[in-house]
Amino acid sequence: MAEIRRHDNRLGLWGWLGGGRWGVERYAYILHRLTGLGILLYFLIHIVVTSLRAAGIYLWVEGEFLHQPIFRFGEFLVFAAFAYHAFNGVRLVLVELGIAVGRPIEPVYPYRTSLNVQRPLLIIMMILAAAFLVAGGYDFLGLGK
Amino acid sequence: MPDSSTVVRQIRFHITRYNPELDRVPYVKTYAIPVREGMTVLEGLHYIKDNMDSSLAWRYSCRMGVCGSCGMLLNGHPTLACNTQILHIADRELTVGPLPNFNIIRDLVPDLTPMFDKHRSVKPFVIRADETEVNEPAGEFYQSPEELEAYLQFTYCIKCGCCMAACPTLATDVRYLGPMPLAAAQRYNVDSRDDGRRARNQVTGAAQGAFRCHYAGECSRACPKGVDPAKAIQHLKRRLVLDYLRLARRKKPCQKLHGPGEGKPLPNIPAAPGKTVPGDSFPNLPERSP
Ligand code: SF4
Ligand code: SF4
Ligand code: FES
C-alpha cells in the first residue's frame, strides 16, 4: 500500500502564545517561561559585562555607560521578572508536588478541576508578587527619593 | 421547553478541508446550514454530508460522548462534536477543525497513532507478580471504596485526545508523553491491585515524561469527561519524587478473596431477603450453546 501523506498540524510556538481563549494558568505558564528566559539572558549579559574588567573596562561605575536611565529601567524589569518567577515558582512547586491540587473526585458536570482548587494560591502569590514589585519600584525607580 | 423541531437560524460552518491526494495544504470551506434547538455539531456535519458535500470526512461512532472518536477543534476549543450543541457555542459562525498537535489524515480526521503508542508505553494495565491471578483469576481482589476513589476519576478517560490538542508543552515537544498517557499511568499506579509503579516510573520519570508538564492546566480545562489529567500528573510527580528519594512507603498490592462466597460480610449489613419466585431463577431459558 502506498504511504499516505499526512499534514503536520502541530501548533509549535503558537501553541504557547495563541492564548486568546485560554485560562489564567496558561498565561501564568507562558509568563513563567518568558521571565525564566529573560532572567537567563540577563545572567549571560551580566557575566559578559563584569568580565570586561579583565580588559580594564568598568561600565558600571559612577557616571559610566550603565548609569543611563534606560538601564535603570531595564534593571527594574529584571527585578519584576524575578519577583514573578519566584512567587509563581513557589506555587508551581506546591502544585507539582501534588499538594495544592486536591484529591481525586467523582467527576460531576459542571466539572470542577484541580485548577479551581489551586486558584486561591495563584491569587495569593500574584498579590505577593505585586507587593514586591511596588516596594522594588519605589527603590529602583527612585520614586521614594 | 425549547422546540427542537423548528429551525432557529442559519449558522455558517467554517470547516478545515484536506485531501492528501489533491491538496498541498489544508484550506477552509464554508457551509451555511439551518440549525435547530438542541442540534449538536456532529448532527451539523451529518447535515452537510447528506445534503451539501458528501466528500466531507470525520470520525465518530457512539454519538453520545462515550467512544472518544469525535474530538475536534470547535471555535478554537478542543472538544467532542457529539457532546456540543451548536447554539451553545455559536451565534452565526462556527469554525470546525481537526485536533491540533496530531497529523491530519483527511479533513477533520487526526492521526491519533502517536498518542496510542505513548499510551502503550506507560503499561496501562494491572501489573502483578502473580500474573496467573490476573489472567485467570480464581477470585476477586479486595478493594475498599476509598481505594477505588483514589483512581476512579482517571478511569473515565475515553482517549479522545482533546487534552493532547490543548497542551502547550506538546505543541512544541512531540516526544512529550502528554496528559492522556500520563493520567493513564497514574490511574494504574494508584490502583491498589497494581504493583507496577516502579516499572512505569522508568517511562513516566524519563526526560519526556511527567516533569515536562508545567501545569498550564489546559488539559483539564479541555477534558470533556472531567478526568482532570493535570491533577493526575501532579500526583504522579509527587510519587516520582518520593520514589526517587526512597521516601515512599512500600505497600503490597491488595489480596484477593478466595472464591465466591469466601468473603466475610460486614457485621452491620443485614442478610439478603429470601427468594420471592420459587424454583430455578430462569427455568424457561433455552440452553446456551458454547
Ligand atoms: S483525559 Fe480527557 S481529554 Fe484527555 S483523552 Fe482522556 S477523556 Fe479525552
Ligand atoms: S497541565 Fe501539563 S499536560 Fe496539562 S496542558 Fe499543561 S503542560 Fe500539558
Ligand atoms: S461520537 Fe463517540 S464521543 Fe463523540
Side-chain angles (χ1 to χ4, degrees):
Chain A
M1 206 178 83
E3 185 63 30
I4 305 169
R5 211 155 51 86
R6 304 273 151 95
H7 181 79
D8 181 359
N9 195 24
R10 195 149 46 91
L11 289 176
L13 271 187
W14 180 243
W16 290 13
L17 302 170
R21 275 182 273 267
W22 309 84
V24 57
E25 284 75 19
R26 189 196 192 93
Y27 291 110
Y29 162 98
I30 296 162
L31 204 54
H32 199 78
R33 292 202 143 180
L34 293 181
T35 51
L37 290 172
I39 293 167
L40 183 67
L41 182 69
Y42 171 78
F43 179 64
L44 295 176
I45 295 173
H46 176 67
I47 291 175
V48 171
V49 170
T50 46
S51 66
L52 286 179
R53 68 186 296 181
I57 305 169
Y58 292 85
L59 291 180
W60 60 89
V61 294
E62 201 59 44
E64 270 294 349
F65 183 68
L66 288 180
H67 278 267
Q68 299 170 56
I70 179 85
F71 289 110
R72 198 81 186 137
F73 184 67
E75 240 177 355
F76 177 67
L77 284 189
V78 173
F79 172 74
F82 165 77
Y84 173 78
H85 203 83
F87 281 106
N88 192 48
V90 171
R91 171 183 73 99
L92 286 179
V93 168
L94 292 176
V95 163
E96 297 199 19
L97 287 178
I99 294 168
V101 290
R103 299 186 52 73
I105 49 165
E106 179 89 5
V108 178
Y109 198 81
Y111 305 127
R112 270 178 57 83
T113 65
S114 56
L115 297 167
N116 305 87
V117 178
Q118 59 81 53
R119 184 93 22 87
L121 181 65
L122 175 75
I123 293 168
I124 292 169
M125 285 303 157
M126 289 307 103
I127 290 172
L128 287 176
F132 217 67
L133 262 188
V134 171
Y138 238 63
D139 186 42
F140 267 100
L141 303 178
L143 299 178
K145 282 178 201 156
Chain B
M1 212 89 157
D3 186 356
S4 61
S5 60
T6 50
V7 170
V8 178
R9 67 178 98 100
Q10 295 270 326
I11 303 253
R12 281 151 52 89
F13 273 50
H14 305 280
I15 301 182
T16 304
R17 302 298 310 267
Y18 174 69
N19 179 344
E21 282 160 8
L22 301 176
D23 308 321
R24 219 171 49 77
V25 287
Y27 63 97
V28 175
K29 199 166 170 185
T30 301
Y31 307 85
I33 68 162
V35 172
R36 290 172 287 102
E37 193 75 55
M39 192 166 160
T40 63
V41 175
L42 184 65
E43 290 175 276
L45 294 176
H46 275 299
Y47 183 91
I48 294 168
K49 193 165 177 90
D50 292 347
N51 301 295
M52 303 163 90
D53 188 344
S54 60
S55 69
L56 182 63
W58 74 93
R59 194 190 279 132
Y60 82 103
S61 175
C62 69
R63 45 111 187 95
M64 55 186 182
V66 173
C67 71
S69 305
C70 68
M72 292 175 196
L73 200 65
L74 304 181
N75 274 352
H77 288 279
T79 190
L80 301 177
C82 68
N83 221 11
T84 310
Q85 294 189 20
I86 301 170
L87 295 177
H88 285 178
I89 59 166
D91 270 339
R92 301 257 160 226
E93 320 284 330
L94 175 66
T95 62
V96 184
L99 286 183
N101 298 341
F102 295 105
N103 288 346
I104 308 176
I105 296 177
R106 184 181 173 127
D107 295 344
L108 302 172
V109 185
D111 181 3
L112 302 179
T113 322
M115 174 175 82
F116 293 127
D117 288 343
K118 289 171 183 172
H119 181 234
R120 209 171 292 122
S121 77
V122 302
K123 306 184 199 297
F125 40 81
V126 169
I127 301 173
R128 287 174 73 100
D130 48 351
E131 213 173 280
T132 39
E133 232 352 277
V134 178
N135 297 331
E136 289 165 65
E140 296 161 45
F141 290 114
Y142 176 77
Q143 194 164 56
S144 69
E146 292 75 27
E147 287 169 333
L148 174 69
E149 248 169 45
Y151 70 87
L152 183 63
Q153 180 172 24
F154 312 132
T155 65
Y156 286 97
C157 174
I158 56 172
K159 320 289 182 263
C160 64
C162 291
C163 52
M164 309 285 275
C167 176
T169 303
L170 207 60
T172 44
D173 184 357
V174 253
R175 289 167 306 162
Y176 170 46
L177 284 177
M180 185 284 266
L182 288 170
Q186 174 69 2
R187 177 250 172 273
Y188 285 96
N189 279 354
V190 288
D191 189 327
S192 62
R193 293 165 297 181
D194 179 84
D195 196 20
R197 191 176 82 239
R198 276 154 223 272
R200 282 184 209 101
N201 284 358
Q202 306 297 321
V203 186
T204 55
Q208 307 305 329
F211 289 102
R212 287 253 102 193
C213 162
H214 303 293
Y215 202 72
E218 284 308 334
C219 49
S220 294
R221 212 172 270 115
C223 179
K225 301 300 283 185
V227 169
D228 204 345
K231 183 198 281 172
I233 298 171
Q234 312 322 310
H235 284 289
L236 180 65
K237 286 180 193 167
R238 177 214 193 92
R239 274 330 271 244
L240 280 165
V241 170
L242 292 178
D243 278 343
Y244 183 75
L245 298 175
R246 298 180 191 283
L247 290 175
R249 263 179 291 133
R250 191 135 207 167
K251 240 176 88 185
K252 281 180 83 161
C254 69
Q255 297 305 306
K256 62 189 170 75
L257 304 165
H258 284 274
E262 295 282 320
K264 274 197 223 79
L266 292 174
N268 52 355
I269 296 181
K275 279 188 186 175
T276 52
V277 182
D280 281 349
S281 309
F282 301 104
N284 299 331
L285 280 188
E287 282 278 315
R288 254 205 292 166
S289 52

